[in-house]
Amino acid sequence: MEKFPSVSPPNVEYLRKIIGSLNSGKRPADLKREVGGRVYDAIRILKALGIIEPKRKGRWNYYRKKGYDPIDVMYLRRDDVRKTLTLIANGVRNRKNISSEVYHSTSSTDLRRVSSIVSLGRQLGFVVKGRAYKLTDNGLRELLRYFIEAYGIELSKSVGVSYVSIAELRNKVLAEVKVPREVFDTTLLELNRLGALHLSAGPVTSEEEATEGIQSDKGVLLFLRIEQFKYLRPR
């Protein structure tokens, strides 16, 4: 995958304005006349997110919309974005350390890539405003949701049924995002409330199983099924 652009992201509303102008293929110069502003930076960001694509016509590159999901969904689907946010969730606050882990480089260009990811993340509500490298509550929940979907699909395929073990899923997700168990369990309960997941109680056969489940007024919740996928499309 192409690295994230090393440019300061334009305002998200401006990015949406560019998307809305691309009902048919247009050259950057056409967009510049129509909407003004930082067209070339916007094109680089939207192209990296997989929202627009270039098409060659004669001597010129034209850009057109691809089939896409909202900007925040396309943002979190990128590997380098997800790795950056995961490192921040795990307590890494230094841009150079993040760049070293994500890009295996601390060049000035790659440092700017990290800044660009964080800047867009702030606009989208994943990262707190200001100078600190810290996820918002929503940003952490959405990052956990991505991994819940990813490992939920993996576990479901391995067992051949749609319901998966909460304990197994928890172990896999928390190996990636190192937050307390209570944060993960609370996220499951919130996604269940929103209808994105269905949490199911089951017969408890041991004390260990009871400990690994989530206590509720319906009994010990042991299994879950993903009802609404946001970031991934199971095959």
Side-chain angles (χ1 to χ4, degrees):
M1 177 182 285
E2 181 183 347
K3 291 182 177 181
F4 204 85
S6 58
V7 299
S8 177
N11 182 276
V12 168
E13 289 307 313
Y14 177 74
L15 295 178
R16 293 190 177 112
K17 192 173 182 180
I18 293 287
I19 295 169
S21 298
L22 288 174
N23 294 320
S24 58
K26 291 182 180 177
R27 296 181 303 164
D30 299 330
L31 290 169
K32 187 74 173 176
R33 283 194 297 271
E34 287 184 23
V35 300
R38 295 166 52 205
V39 165
Y40 290 94
D41 287 346
I43 285 172
R44 291 185 65 186
I45 294 290
L46 294 173
K47 181 172 173 287
L49 294 176
I51 293 174
I52 67 173
E53 61 182 353
K55 291 291 179 182
R56 193 79 175 176
K57 290 185 179 180
R59 298 170 54 195
W60 309 103
N61 265 341
Y62 285 71
Y63 289 87
R64 67 179 186 183
K65 287 188 290 189
K66 297 170 66 176
Y68 71 96
D69 287 311
I71 293 175
D72 60 332
V73 173
M74 301 298 286
Y75 172 80
L76 197 54
R77 282 180 181 160
R78 281 192 60 98
D79 288 344
D80 50 1
V81 166
R82 208 164 48 255
K83 288 176 181 176
T84 297
L85 298 186
T86 299
L87 287 165
I88 293 172
N90 291 344
V92 180
R93 300 286 183 258
N94 184 283
R95 184 177 64 154
K96 186 175 289 187
N97 292 343
I98 292 172
S99 181
S100 179
E101 289 287 334
V102 175
Y103 295 120
H104 308 292
S105 160
T106 56
S107 69
S108 59
T109 300
D110 286 333
L111 291 175
R112 287 196 299 272
R113 297 186 202 283
V114 173
S115 295
S116 182
I117 288 170
V118 172
S119 177
L120 186 54
R122 287 195 174 107
Q123 293 194 56
L124 294 170
F126 288 93
V127 183
V128 298
K129 302 290 186 181
R131 296 174 62 89
Y133 276 25
K134 182 180 179 182
L135 299 190
T136 62
D137 291 343
N138 176 70
L140 180 57
R141 182 179 65 246
E142 292 302 309
L143 181 64
L144 288 170
R145 180 171 182 172
Y146 178 91
F147 285 113
I148 287 166
E149 290 185 12
Y151 286 116
I153 292 170
E154 178 185 297
L155 289 170
S156 179
K157 286 182 177 179
S158 70
V159 298
V161 294
S162 58
Y163 279 94
V164 300
S165 162
I166 289 174
E168 289 184 56
L169 181 64
R170 182 193 295 122
N171 289 339
K172 285 183 174 292
V173 174
L174 295 191
E176 299 274 1
V177 187
K178 304 183 189 311
V179 295
R181 169 182 167 169
E182 292 75 17
V183 173
F184 176 83
D185 289 357
T186 299
T187 299
L188 289 189
L189 292 169
E190 176 66 9
L191 292 173
N192 179 71
R193 186 186 68 79
L194 294 173
L197 304 176
H198 180 258
L199 303 180
S200 175
V204 177
T205 59
S206 68
E207 184 176 338
E208 180 183 1
E209 195 170 50
T211 302
E212 289 296 322
I214 300 174
Q215 300 294 328
S216 78
D217 55 5
K218 297 179 180 178
V220 180
L221 303 174
L222 298 174
F223 305 98
L224 72 79
R225 181 180 67 209
I226 300 174
E227 300 285 358
Q228 298 173 13
F229 286 90
K230 181 175 182 178
Y231 295 105
L232 300 174
R233 297 186 179 97
R235 296 179 181 178

